[in-house]
């Protein structure tokens, strides 16, 4: 089973580094941190000392996860001089997220009643903040959190999302085997069925499991765009006759 964890406690950094070095099969330096590759039960456990009281451990097959953990620690330790929104809310990003984003609703989007999905209004109050993330926990886990200005605003968002989810699932059921062509492909069905919406005071939280094939399809470049040529710099497009 693959795992990635961060341990916090009181360590003698020098002695721990000496011990890890003595049992490691190899070492590498990444972003100023030493990563110790330690064989264990046919796998490689990678250990990095992030700080005087923080140790990152991962037995992920590649170095990608331990590198991401080091990057996250370095980013968290840097001052966010360019964005007060990021500085204030970065700590709320789930640990070990491989992709994440933070944003805030502003005018005019929050002033026209919000967005509409399948004809239903999804309220987007001004000053509501969103934290979206993807993390790997044996599967691709998606989490989108709205931090609303009030409990009632979060309740409105939760109710609207639950209504939209019920409508989408009813479309899926209506277009099943008895109704002919399915409304969604199997990967999209798995994604929709995994969606859960809940509220915690002024927070509306949507979670879901994203099938790998679905994420790959979303992230891939459409074929028609691949066929489009990119004009050379300094050349104007050809004029029509």
């Amino acid at each position: 089973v693959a795992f990635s964890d961060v341990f916090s406690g009181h360590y003698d950094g020098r002695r721990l580094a000496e011990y890890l070095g003595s049992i490691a099969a190899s070492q590498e330096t990444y972003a100023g941190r030493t990563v110790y590759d330690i064989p264990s039960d046919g796998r490689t456990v990678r250990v990095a000392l992030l700080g005087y009281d923080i140790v990152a451990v991962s037995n992920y097959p590649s170095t990608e996860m331990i590198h991401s953990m080091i990057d996250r620690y370095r980013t968290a330790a840097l001052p966010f001089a360019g964005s007060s929104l990021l500085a204030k809310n970065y700590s709320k990003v789930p640990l070990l997220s491989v992709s994440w984003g933070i944003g805030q609703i502003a005018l005019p989007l929050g002033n026209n009643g919000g967005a509409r999905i399948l004809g239903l209004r999804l309220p987007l109050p001004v000053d509501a903040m969103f934290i979206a993330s993807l993390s790997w926990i044996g599967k691709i886990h998606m989490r989108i959190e709205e931090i609303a200005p009030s409990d009632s605003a979060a309740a409105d968002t939760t109710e609207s999302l639950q209504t939209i989810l019920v409508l989408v699932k009813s479309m899926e059921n209506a277009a099943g085997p008895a109704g002919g062509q399915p409304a969604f492909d199997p990967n999209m069905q798995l994604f929709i069925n995994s969606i859960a919406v809940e509220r915690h005071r002024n927070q509306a939280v949507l979670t879901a499991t994203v099938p790998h094939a679905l994420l790959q399809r979303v992230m891939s470049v459409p074929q028609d765009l691949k066929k489009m040529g990119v004009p050379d710099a300094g050349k104007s497009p050809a004029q029509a006759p």
Side-chain angles (χ1 to χ4, degrees):
V1 178
F3 69 87
S4 298
D5 291 299
V6 175
F7 299 92
S8 178
H10 298 287
Y11 309 104
D12 184 323
R14 182 184 60 80
R15 294 179 62 186
L16 180 57
E18 289 176 354
Y19 170 72
L20 293 174
S22 69
I23 63 174
S26 60
Q27 301 178 24
E28 71 158 333
T29 300
Y30 176 78
R33 298 289 188 277
T34 300
V35 179
Y36 302 90
D37 300 335
I38 303 171
S40 176
D41 295 331
R43 307 188 70 156
T44 298
V45 178
R46 297 177 174 86
V47 183
L49 306 183
L50 301 181
Y52 73 93
D53 61 348
I54 300 178
V55 177
V57 181
S58 175
N59 71 344
Y60 200 75
S62 69
T63 59
E64 178 182 359
M65 186 57 71
I66 196 73
H67 288 177
S68 176
M69 296 166 77
I70 294 172
D71 290 338
R72 284 287 304 275
Y73 177 81
R74 291 177 65 244
T75 303
L78 293 175
F80 295 103
S83 173
S84 59
L85 180 68
L86 183 60
K88 181 179 179 181
N89 299 289
Y90 178 78
S91 61
K92 300 174 184 176
V93 176
L95 186 65
L96 303 182
S97 296
V98 296
S99 179
W100 55 271
I102 298 175
Q104 190 170 32
I105 299 298
L107 296 173
L109 183 59
N111 201 36
N112 59 3
R116 289 193 174 272
I117 301 177
L118 299 176
L120 299 177
R121 185 179 71 89
L122 178 62
L124 296 174
V126 174
D127 292 335
M129 189 184 65
F130 289 86
I131 301 175
S133 64
L134 290 176
S135 57
W136 174 257
I137 52 175
K139 51 191 174 183
I140 303 173
H141 180 73
M142 181 182 77
R143 187 178 192 274
I144 302 176
E145 175 186 359
E146 179 201 56
I147 302 177
S150 65
D151 292 5
S152 60
D156 288 344
T157 299
T158 303
E159 183 179 356
S160 296
L161 285 173
Q162 290 172 339
T163 301
I164 292 171
L165 184 58
V166 169
L167 178 59
V168 171
K169 289 185 176 180
S170 66
M171 292 171 54
E172 176 186 0
N173 295 332
Q181 185 71 20
F184 308 104
D185 64 38
N187 287 313
M188 181 61 74
Q189 289 178 355
L190 289 173
F191 171 70
I192 293 173
N193 291 333
S194 72
I195 295 176
V197 180
E198 56 185 12
R199 181 176 74 89
H200 306 285
R201 300 186 66 178
N202 70 325
Q203 302 172 2
V205 181
L206 181 150
T207 58
T209 299
V210 184
H212 182 268
L214 179 61
L215 181 62
Q216 192 174 38
R217 188 175 68 194
V218 171
M219 299 298 292
S220 63
V221 179
Q223 291 297 321
D224 55 346
L225 291 182
K226 290 182 179 180
K227 296 177 182 178
M228 294 175 62
V230 179
D232 294 335
K235 293 186 179 181
S236 60
Q239 299 295 321

